[in-house]
Amino acid sequence: MAFLLDRPSLQRLPRFPLSAAAFTTLSSAAAFRHALLAAIASARQRIYLTALYLEQDEAGQEILAALFKAKQANPALDIRITVDWHRAQRGRIGESQDSCNAAWYREECSRHAVELPVYGVPAQTRELFGVLHLKGFVIDNQVIYSGASLNNVYLHKQDKYRFDRYHLLDNAALADSMVSLLCQHFFNDEAVFRLDKPVPSTRSIRKEIRAFRSRLETMHYTLPPEQTCQHGMGVTPVVGLGKGNALNRLILQLIAKAEHQLVICTPYFNFPMAVLRAINRALRRGVEVTIIVGDKTANDFFIPETEPFKLIGALPYLYEMNLRRFAKRRQAQIESGKLNLHLWKEGENSYHLKGMWCDAQHILLTGNNMNPRAFRLDLENALLIHDPEQQLQAQSHAEQQHILQHTTRISHYRQLESVRNYPLKVRTILTRLSRVRIDRMLNLML
């Protein structure tokens, strides 16, 4: 990806031309689910779904049933699903390991007369050290981009939802580029296996996985010169894996580029040091920085005190500790209005938003959590929207206002709970971790 290695200005990045009419923002998880199902039903050529996981629940079953129906109606339709290898072969954190999504894929495929390939991509030999975190559903020439995976809460199939960002881009060149990357680097690699068929053990393919990860670190989206431009409205797809990758550098470039206003969404307040430094420099330049993060009770790992405690339930408190420390050190900038920290909370729903807006000229759509894990371990991607004439300003403003309607601005760091007020079990765990500095290691891994 030479154009990023040389760090040209953001304005000169190659991009696929994009019109304002071809970019649509959806406001809710339910709207996202309806749009995805409608696109699947109307597909004529291809459906490529890429997500961390496709869950065995009501929403996952609805998606899989729609895919089988589309394939049966049109056998020539090219359908492929790509998920993380490790996540597909275990249960959800804290739940029984007796069943897994991969077994469900095999059972469903055995019940139908048509094949529906489901590829398991191992970004690392163990899930703890890296997962497939690419986003983007390509259906014919449309790209549906969100940080969401596919299950009940992400698709608001039942009573609760996990709030994310949702965008539709009608752009054949972008869709081709995203499909090309999958075909070139995943589907025929010796480390990638179809989960709808019997698979080898992870232990038996460790050598292949390590070699595969090395190849992933150098891959990039193809932007043919005849299809791209360097001026005007457009979209640049970016992929990254490992320390110092192209996507990491792009995120830091955006923060460094900001002159007036920078808005950042992240579900887990745990910025890498490089991002923290870039934000500090932006504040010193006089940039108004807004950071929107979920309240600890809106974190997908939060466990109410009325339910049995599990170790994973300490994570939301660890993130709040990070946020309180960050706010305390920047209290003067909070009071001056240069730093705006917003906590999102709406009922018992959870918050999963990622991405950035920079000076109303650049919009970053990504599944990157902007934490040390995303910057070092996981395979991530993003779409950078260039909007030099601010044709999407009204749409961006409406999206931001929709996000902010369920937030509270932190005017003083003491609005955030301190450790001494946490539940006893949480307080005990975090105190012990802090004494031996394991909390710092956890921040790097989670």
Side-chain angles (χ1 to χ4, degrees):
M1 211 159 184
F3 62 90
L4 279 175
L5 292 176
D6 296 335
R7 296 195 183 214
S9 67
L10 292 171
Q11 289 85 350
R12 292 193 294 110
L13 285 178
R15 67 202 70 171
F16 296 118
L18 179 71
S19 68
F23 183 86
T24 303
T25 302
L26 302 179
S27 61
S28 69
F32 169 56
R33 172 166 54 89
H34 293 315
L36 179 57
L37 289 170
I40 290 172
S42 63
R44 295 293 176 264
Q45 298 175 330
R46 61 187 176 187
I47 301 175
Y48 283 63
L49 305 186
T50 303
L52 177 61
Y53 56 84
L54 170 61
E55 194 76 51
Q56 182 185 1
D57 60 12
E58 288 82 359
Q61 291 168 357
E62 184 176 29
I63 295 296
L64 201 59
L67 293 171
F68 275 117
K69 182 177 180 180
K71 184 68 174 180
Q72 289 167 338
N74 180 7
L77 189 60
D78 182 13
I79 303 180
R80 307 191 197 198
I81 304 169
T82 306
V83 295
D84 180 69
W85 166 264
H86 299 286
R87 180 63 179 80
Q89 297 183 82
R90 67 161 175 84
R92 284 178 286 188
I93 293 176
E95 297 188 357
S96 171
Q97 305 293 309
D98 295 338
S99 62
C100 65
N101 294 327
W104 171 56
Y105 303 151
R106 289 190 286 272
E107 180 182 351
E108 288 298 308
C109 288
S110 69
R111 295 176 52 244
H112 292 81
V114 295
E115 283 201 345
L116 205 64
V118 183
Y119 296 88
V121 176
Q124 185 54 283
T125 54
R126 295 183 64 185
E127 183 179 1
L128 178 64
F129 302 125
V131 297
L132 170 83
H133 214 241
L134 296 185
K135 308 298 178 181
F137 306 139
V138 177
I139 302 180
D140 291 341
N141 291 328
Q142 183 182 69
V143 175
I144 303 176
Y145 196 94
S146 173
S149 289
L150 300 171
N151 70 357
N152 282 342
V153 68
Y154 278 117
L155 297 175
H156 199 178
K157 180 64 176 176
Q158 298 184 341
D159 56 338
K160 296 180 183 179
Y161 68 85
R162 184 163 297 152
F163 192 32
D164 214 299
R165 299 176 67 197
Y166 320 97
H167 297 88
L168 313 180
L169 296 89
D170 293 308
N171 191 294
L174 174 64
D176 289 343
S177 180
M178 296 181 75
V179 166
S180 177
L181 180 134
L182 299 176
C183 293
Q184 182 179 350
H185 295 281
F186 291 175
F187 300 146
N188 295 310
D189 196 282
E190 60 183 356
V192 177
F193 292 84
R194 283 177 55 174
L195 295 168
D196 55 300
K197 298 178 179 293
V199 297
S201 67
T202 301
R203 181 183 295 272
S204 69
I205 57 170
R206 282 182 176 175
K207 180 180 178 181
E208 289 81 0
I209 293 174
R210 292 191 185 100
F212 178 57
R213 184 175 178 88
S214 295
R215 291 190 290 274
L216 292 179
E217 290 178 353
T218 62
M219 77 176 185
H220 58 83
Y221 287 107
T222 301
L223 286 82
E226 66 275 11
Q227 292 182 302
T228 62
C229 61
Q230 290 186 322
H231 303 283
M233 188 175 177
V235 53
T236 302
V238 186
V239 66
L241 174 66
K243 185 178 179 181
N245 67 62
L247 178 52
N248 294 354
R249 295 199 302 273
L250 176 61
I251 289 171
L252 295 175
Q253 274 186 280
L254 283 168
I255 300 173
K257 165 69 177 174
E259 296 178 354
H260 308 291
Q261 189 176 53
L262 181 69
V263 180
I264 301 174
C265 293
T266 180
Y268 314 116
F269 194 87
N270 186 23
F271 289 130
M273 189 55 66
V275 172
L276 283 173
R277 289 171 180 154
I279 290 173
N280 285 337
R281 286 192 289 269
L283 288 168
R284 287 196 294 269
R285 292 196 306 271
V287 177
E288 181 184 328
V289 177
T290 298
I291 301 173
I292 309 171
V293 64
D295 182 87
K296 66 174 177 289
T297 62
N299 188 289
D300 43 334
F301 296 116
F302 180 76
I303 300 174
E305 292 186 62
T306 55
E307 298 180 12
F309 179 77
K310 299 183 180 70
L311 183 60
I312 198 72
L315 283 181
Y317 297 90
L318 181 62
Y319 296 134
E320 186 178 58
M321 285 174 56
N322 293 341
L323 180 60
R324 193 175 195 271
R325 191 180 303 120
F326 176 85
K328 183 176 181 179
R329 292 173 179 172
R330 296 159 183 83
Q331 182 60 40
Q333 290 157 321
I334 291 175
E335 292 175 358
S336 71
K338 279 300 180 182
L339 175 61
N340 300 290
L341 301 178
H342 290 266
L343 286 184
W344 187 95
K345 178 177 173 60
E346 202 275 308
E348 296 183 357
N349 302 298
S350 52
Y351 177 93
H352 197 247
L353 276 74
K354 305 99 179 283
M356 301 169 61
W357 290 265
C358 177
D359 286 341
Q361 293 193 8
H362 291 96
I363 305 169
L364 187 71
L365 312 180
T366 185
N368 191 305
N369 289 313
M370 225 172 295
N371 59 9
R373 180 182 179 90
F375 264 50
R376 292 173 177 264
L377 303 179
D378 295 338
L379 177 58
E380 306 277 0
N381 71 348
L383 302 180
L384 177 64
I385 309 299
H386 307 260
D387 187 23
E389 298 178 359
Q390 301 181 16
Q391 299 177 62
L392 298 176
Q393 186 174 18
Q395 200 170 154
S396 289
H397 179 74
E399 183 183 10
Q400 290 175 33
Q401 292 305 305
H402 180 68
I403 296 168
L404 288 170
Q405 69 175 329
H406 293 300
T407 67
T408 301
R409 184 181 184 275
I410 299 300
S411 58
H412 199 284
Y413 75 90
R414 289 198 181 96
Q415 288 176 245
L416 299 162
E417 274 193 292
S418 65
V419 177
R420 62 176 174 269
N421 295 322
Y422 288 167
L424 178 59
K425 290 183 179 179
V426 174
R427 188 168 70 244
T428 301
I429 289 171
L430 294 181
T431 301
R432 288 175 179 173
L433 292 177
S434 181
R435 283 173 182 167
V436 293
R437 297 196 169 188
I438 294 179
D439 58 328
R440 298 187 182 186
M441 184 179 71
L442 286 175
N443 277 328
L444 292 174
M445 302 297 294
L446 299 170

